């Protein structure tokens, strides 16, 4: 299969502005993939309803994510860029896949277990079937590659299970098995700045956002957790320091990283210098996106036009898939 025939799809929830984790785990790869593949990128607004946003917040956040997609370099001429709730075909497939998804496998999903712990007062059915809706997003365009960060790996595994199971129950080949994708040999996990093994996340309160000013970035990085400093030459960095190096590896030139790594190994490093450099390099990376975002978010006509075009293209592909699905199930002859 040529790359142009390969279908790429991914989505982002509109639960707040995007951070470095979203960028390096997902968005940057979307931009690189769009030249050579058939790409669908969307805003997962149905998925964001599990936490009951207000209508005002939902509307505002959807537009901001749309603007961030464009600011980061998604070209609506090359990629189909749409809003999930504009494509109701996804809901029909969600219902149909729900019939072959087992409660046990959904209850065992790590993200579901986390949500039970984090929001015990709101363990809704949408949280349990979240991976089924996500599989519908992916399978509705019969996607092959799904660029995501490490935290989505298990959801992707379920999407593969549902594709296989559907094909086997209905003795058909309607769905390819989608694969989680990243350039390089592993899915990315960008750490937070709070010194733990956790990821940078919107709800973790540890994010550096693509809309942060240079000053915001400097303040956040200078506050990042460190340790008392290396005591033995060549020692392995502790987790908080390794996290800073991991982010530096993404945003800084290689010689900057090796300069600080060498200083660490020789026990001469000053964390203040490391952080100052890191904040500058993050800002250099983010500044062009932030500036383009500032212009695009004011252009309501552009945002509406992109959404309308995306919706047409996405619905055409989605309804073609549903037609086949309905046929193999036996709704149509
Ligand atoms: P969401 O909105 O939480 O995150 C969007 C993308 O950003 C990645 N990401 C990270 N990558 C590396 N390091 C991090 N710290 C980090 N934080 C977030 C996520 O892996 C994701 O790729 N369920 C999805 C949205 C979705 C979807 C889909 C994705 C709905 N349907 C179909 C792909 C295909 C989510 O909540 O992503």
């Amino acid at each position: 299969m040529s790359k142009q025939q390969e279908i790429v799809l991914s989505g982002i929830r509109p639960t707040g502005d995007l951070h470095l984790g979203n960028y390096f785990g997902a968005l940057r790869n979307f931009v690189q993939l769009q030249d050579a593949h058939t790409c669908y990128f969307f805003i997962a607004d149905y998925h964001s309803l599990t936490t009951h946003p207000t209508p005002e917040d939902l509307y505002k956040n959807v537009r901001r994510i749309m603007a961030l997609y464009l600011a980061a370099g998604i070209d609506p001429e090359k990629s189909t860029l749409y809003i999930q709730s504009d494509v109701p075909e996804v809901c029909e497939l969600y219902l149909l896949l729900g019939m072959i998804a087992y409660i046990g496998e959904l209850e065992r999903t790590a993200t579901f277990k986390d949500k039970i712990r984090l929001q015990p007062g709101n363990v809704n059915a949408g949280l349990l079937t979240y991976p089924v809706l996500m599989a519908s997003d992916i399978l509705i365009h019969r996607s092959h590659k799904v660029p995501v960060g490490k935290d989505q790996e298990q959801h992707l595994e379920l999407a593969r299970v549902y594709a296989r199971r559907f094909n086997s129950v209905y003795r058909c080949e309607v769905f390819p098995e989608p694969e989680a994708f990243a350039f390089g040999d592993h899915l990315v996990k960008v750490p937070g700045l709070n010194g733990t093994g956790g990821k940078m996340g919107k709800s973790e309160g540890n994010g550096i956002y693509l809309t942060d000013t240079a000053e915001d970035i400097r303040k956040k990085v200078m506050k990042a957790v460190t340790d008392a400093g290396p005591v033995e030459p060549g020692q392995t960095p502790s987790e908080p320091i390794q996290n800073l190096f991991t982010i530096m590896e993404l945003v800084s030139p290689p010689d900057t990283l090796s300069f600080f790594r060498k200083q660490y190994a020789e026990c001469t490093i000053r964390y203040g210098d490391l952080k100052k450099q890191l904040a500058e390099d993050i800002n250099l990376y983010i500044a062009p996106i932030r500036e383009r975002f500032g212009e695009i978010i004011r252009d309501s006509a552009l945002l509406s036009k992109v959404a309308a075009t995306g919706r047409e293209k996405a619905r055409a592909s989605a309804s073609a898939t549903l037609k086949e699905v309905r046929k193999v199930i036996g709704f149509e002859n």
Side-chain angles (χ1 to χ4, degrees):
M1 191 186 304
S2 78
K3 282 186 173 173
Q4 206 62 53
Q5 288 167 320
E6 252 182 357
I7 313 272
V8 169
L9 167 133
S10 198
I12 298 180
R13 274 173 312 151
T15 44
D17 286 352
L18 303 182
H19 49 66
L20 287 181
N22 300 130
Y23 184 73
F24 287 107
L27 201 48
R28 182 175 67 160
N29 295 343
F30 302 177
V31 176
Q32 281 189 51
L33 284 162
Q34 67 180 347
D35 288 324
H37 299 75
T38 300
C39 290
Y40 293 89
F41 299 119
F42 69 99
I43 300 170
D45 55 350
Y46 285 142
H47 279 103
S48 73
L49 298 186
T50 56
T51 49
H52 310 160
T54 63
E56 295 75 24
D57 279 350
L58 181 62
Y59 186 80
K60 182 190 84 189
N61 281 333
V62 168
R63 290 183 90 76
R64 288 179 76 85
I65 301 293
M66 181 64 95
L68 280 167
Y69 265 122
L70 297 172
I74 297 295
D75 177 349
E77 304 270 318
K78 294 183 187 158
S79 301
T80 299
L81 184 51
Y82 65 98
I83 301 170
Q84 186 184 29
S85 63
D86 276 343
V87 182
E89 288 79 6
V90 167
C91 300
E92 187 172 340
L93 186 58
Y94 169 58
L95 182 142
L96 300 171
L97 291 180
M99 305 301 169
I100 57 162
Y102 295 112
I103 300 245
E105 66 202 357
L106 293 170
E107 280 173 343
R108 281 194 298 276
T109 312
T111 42
F112 181 64
K113 291 196 212 154
D114 284 350
K115 295 287 177 185
I116 296 184
R117 202 168 37 79
L118 294 170
Q119 51 182 74
N122 179 23
V123 184
N124 56 65
L127 279 177
L128 181 67
T129 58
Y130 188 105
V132 185
L133 182 54
M134 195 164 147
S136 310
D137 294 325
I138 296 169
L139 301 182
I140 198 78
H141 300 299
R142 285 176 275 194
S143 315
H144 303 101
K145 276 186 183 160
V146 185
V148 282
K150 179 91 183 140
D151 59 314
Q152 298 297 319
E153 200 168 29
Q154 203 180 12
H155 290 157
L156 255 295
E157 199 40 60
L158 279 174
R160 291 166 65 81
V161 167
Y162 299 147
R164 271 200 301 273
R165 199 175 286 159
F166 185 93
N167 289 347
S168 121
V169 167
Y170 294 106
R171 296 168 192 282
C172 65
E173 296 281 324
V174 173
F175 297 124
E177 269 184 49
E179 263 179 72
F181 175 83
F183 290 100
D185 55 3
H186 60 280
L187 300 182
V188 172
K189 177 178 125 184
V190 178
L193 294 175
N194 41 355
T196 67
K199 62 163 186 162
M200 183 176 288
K202 292 179 203 153
S203 40
E204 279 78 356
N206 61 3
I208 295 185
Y209 292 88
L210 302 183
T211 46
D212 278 346
T213 62
E215 186 55 16
D216 296 332
I217 297 169
R218 202 187 59 78
K219 280 193 189 143
K220 288 181 183 180
V221 175
M222 294 319 280
K223 271 202 295 203
V225 174
T226 50
D227 60 16
V231 279
E232 270 176 43
Q235 82 181 61
T236 313
S238 65
E239 188 144 54
I241 306 306
Q242 185 48 50
N243 289 350
L244 296 180
F245 282 143
T246 301
I247 299 177
M248 189 167 246
E249 208 171 321
L250 293 167
V251 297
S252 303
D255 51 344
T256 306
L257 177 69
S258 42
F259 172 79
F260 285 105
R261 274 203 186 278
K262 184 160 173 279
Q263 284 198 336
Y264 185 90
E266 291 166 354
C267 303
T268 55
I269 193 162
R270 293 195 336 207
Y271 290 145
D273 295 344
L274 168 78
K275 287 176 168 180
K276 223 169 131 232
Q277 184 67 46
L278 182 59
E280 270 173 36
D281 290 345
I282 292 175
N283 184 51
L284 279 179
Y285 219 97
I286 285 180
I289 301 178
R290 182 175 64 219
E291 279 156 27
R292 280 194 297 271
F293 170 80
E295 287 163 24
I296 296 169
I297 194 65
R298 285 196 295 269
D299 193 343
S300 256
L302 171 72
L303 295 173
S304 302
K305 184 167 156 260
V306 169
T309 312
R311 169 198 176 142
E312 288 307 305
K313 289 202 269 174
R315 286 200 75 178
S317 148
S319 54
T321 304
L322 254 194
K323 199 166 163 42
E324 279 202 37
V325 165
R326 293 177 62 94
K327 202 163 153 195
V328 299
I329 287 183
F331 291 145
E332 285 162 26
N333 224 322

